[in-house]
Amino acid sequence: METRECIKTRRSIRRFTDEPVSDDLLYEVLEAVRWAPSWANTQCWEIIVVKDSSTKDKIASILSPNNPAAKGVKEAPVVLIVCGRTGLAGFKDGVAKTDKGDWYMFDVGIACQNLCLAAHDLGLGTVHVGSLDHKALDELLGLPEDVKSVEVIPLGYPAKEGKAPPRKAIEDFVYFEKYGNKIKA
Amino acid sequence: METRECIKTRRSIRRFTDEPVSDDLLYEVLEAVRWAPSWANTQCWEIIVVKDSSTKDKIASILSPNNPAAKGVKEAPVVLIVCGRTGLAGFKDGVAKTDKGDWYMFDVGIACQNLCLAAHDLGLGTVHVGSLDHKALDELLGLPEDVKSVEVIPLGYPAKEGKAPPRKAIEDFVYFEKYGNKIKA
């Protein structure tokens, strides 16, 4: 699929069929993460691939109550947990380079978007699920102290079309030369 | 360009020709940001479009010393500063939903990747520039207290091919069922 079409037609998919995702497709999706850009090429992302039903059920129970993605996490053939190794992005020789501290959330965001776009390109659905108890998830997955879960992404064939929530117009978030200036320079 | 090809062939571009970027192409790039997914559809991104030479020079001087992107920021026909409005992503009714606090870095990361992929799709080059004095940049752009600059993205026609820094193999960042387990379940 053409890139800008893929960007515009990707939807959050929260219900999946029971059709399995082949390893070939799974690796195509993971390959897209490999090519994400990152702070000084530190590539801080780590991904756990979960297919075990009881682990998926446990993950679903760790999501924030009434999270609309819980059913999708249980029924998707593959659930990806995207994590970030801390202390890499945003640092040089162990010292933070900016007042924002660790940039792992930013670099993992980039990686997750590559993942979701590649999945959509392959006919697979995903949704970003970040509202959950991260401490419980880190423990469930056996993450070491310096690796933190960021989000859960169920991956599978869509059982239901996703809807596009309304977007701001470009004019609502773009300014020219200085903040607040809506007139083109 | 096909999506996965676009993801794999996007490079960090740090030198640009003096060919201007048409408003049509600029709006295509901004349109890709519009379609980024975000926490509860909060769309926290804000973008300043800079074309003024003296502002570009000031931005270049705000980058971390010896930042290899400084020349590119001065010479690119357009410089985009991608910011995040705080207090939206990661929150519900003003209360943080996770122990990670504000998710604006994550959502802005997603938006920036849409931006860079759409640019590459259109034959334009970009580079993510995050190592800089954000406080000075916020002041230069006149950002309100609750909007924070995240990164600077020069946008233009590449003057020089970008090189792909080496990437980890999939096996180096992917685990199965539990952290550390490299054997497929």
Side-chain angles (χ1 to χ4, degrees):
Chain A
M1 193 187 308
E2 203 282 324
T3 306
R4 281 165 299 134
E5 187 197 339
C6 186
I7 285 172
K8 289 176 196 169
T9 60
R10 181 215 55 80
R11 297 287 171 266
S12 297
I13 301 296
R14 295 185 174 87
R15 300 302 306 267
F16 302 91
T17 72
D18 56 8
E19 188 180 344
V21 172
S22 73
D23 277 353
D24 280 358
L25 291 198
L26 174 61
Y27 273 76
E28 278 291 323
V29 167
L30 297 170
E31 183 70 17
V33 172
R34 272 190 79 212
W35 289 100
S38 60
W39 183 285
N41 198 34
T42 44
Q43 307 170 65
C44 73
W45 46 77
E46 311 256 5
I47 296 181
I48 323 283
V49 177
V50 168
K51 295 187 184 180
D52 179 76
S53 293
S54 76
T55 308
K56 285 191 264 184
D57 287 352
K58 281 179 199 154
I59 294 170
S61 75
I62 282 171
L63 305 189
S64 297
N66 304 321
N67 193 312
K71 273 188 189 167
V73 167
K74 283 185 194 184
E75 73 192 0
V78 180
V79 174
L80 302 169
I81 298 91
V82 188
C83 312
R85 183 174 291 276
T86 56
L88 295 173
F91 294 86
K92 192 176 180 186
D93 303 327
V95 179
K97 289 285 284 175
T98 73
D99 62 9
K100 293 182 198 299
D102 204 308
W103 281 61
Y104 80 97
M105 292 286 283
F106 184 83
D107 281 3
V108 168
I110 288 176
C112 287
Q113 185 62 1
N114 268 13
L115 191 163
C116 292
L117 290 175
H120 179 47
D121 188 31
L122 293 161
L124 296 166
T126 59
V127 61
H128 297 273
V129 186
S131 190
L132 53 93
D133 181 344
H134 290 85
K135 217 169 159 184
L137 185 56
D138 293 359
E139 208 172 287
L140 177 70
L141 300 170
L143 300 187
E145 196 56 45
D146 58 344
V147 178
K148 304 290 178 196
S149 62
V150 178
E151 66 168 16
V152 169
I153 304 181
L155 176 76
Y157 290 92
K160 228 176 122 178
E161 291 274 312
K163 274 184 197 159
R167 297 306 208 275
K168 288 182 188 171
I170 286 177
E171 292 69 33
D172 293 333
F173 65 87
V174 173
Y175 306 100
F176 297 90
E177 303 299 337
K178 237 182 152 69
Y179 189 87
N181 184 10
K182 298 207 173 184
I183 297 149
K184 269 194 266 184
Chain B
M1 192 186 310
E2 202 284 324
T3 306
R4 281 166 297 134
E5 188 197 339
C6 186
I7 286 172
K8 289 177 196 169
T9 60
R10 180 215 53 83
R11 299 286 170 267
S12 297
I13 301 296
R14 296 185 175 88
R15 301 303 305 269
F16 301 91
T17 71
D18 55 8
E19 188 178 345
V21 172
S22 73
D23 277 354
D24 281 357
L25 291 198
L26 174 60
Y27 273 76
E28 278 291 323
V29 167
L30 296 171
E31 183 70 17
V33 171
R34 273 190 80 212
W35 288 100
S38 61
W39 183 286
N41 198 35
T42 45
Q43 309 171 63
C44 74
W45 45 78
E46 310 256 5
I47 296 182
I48 323 284
V49 177
V50 169
K51 294 185 182 179
D52 179 75
S53 292
S54 76
T55 308
K56 286 191 262 183
D57 288 352
K58 280 178 200 155
I59 293 171
S61 75
I62 281 171
L63 304 190
S64 297
N66 305 318
N67 194 312
K71 274 188 187 167
V73 168
K74 285 184 194 185
E75 71 192 1
V78 180
V79 174
L80 302 169
I81 297 90
V82 188
C83 311
R85 183 173 291 276
T86 56
L88 295 173
F91 295 87
K92 191 175 180 185
D93 304 326
V95 179
K97 290 285 285 176
T98 73
D99 61 9
K100 295 184 197 298
D102 204 309
W103 282 61
Y104 80 98
M105 291 287 283
F106 185 83
D107 280 2
V108 168
I110 288 177
C112 287
Q113 186 61 1
N114 268 13
L115 191 163
C116 293
L117 290 175
H120 179 47
D121 188 31
L122 294 161
L124 296 165
T126 58
V127 62
H128 296 273
V129 185
S131 189
L132 54 91
D133 181 345
H134 290 84
K135 217 170 158 182
L137 184 57
D138 293 359
E139 207 172 289
L140 177 70
L141 300 170
L143 299 188
E145 196 56 46
D146 58 345
V147 177
K148 303 290 177 196
S149 63
V150 178
E151 66 167 16
V152 168
I153 303 181
L155 176 76
Y157 289 92
K160 229 176 119 178
E161 292 274 310
K163 275 184 195 159
R167 294 306 207 279
K168 288 181 188 171
I170 286 177
E171 292 70 33
D172 293 333
F173 66 87
V174 173
Y175 305 102
F176 297 90
E177 304 298 338
K178 237 184 153 71
Y179 189 86
N181 184 10
K182 298 205 173 185
I183 297 150
K184 271 193 267 184

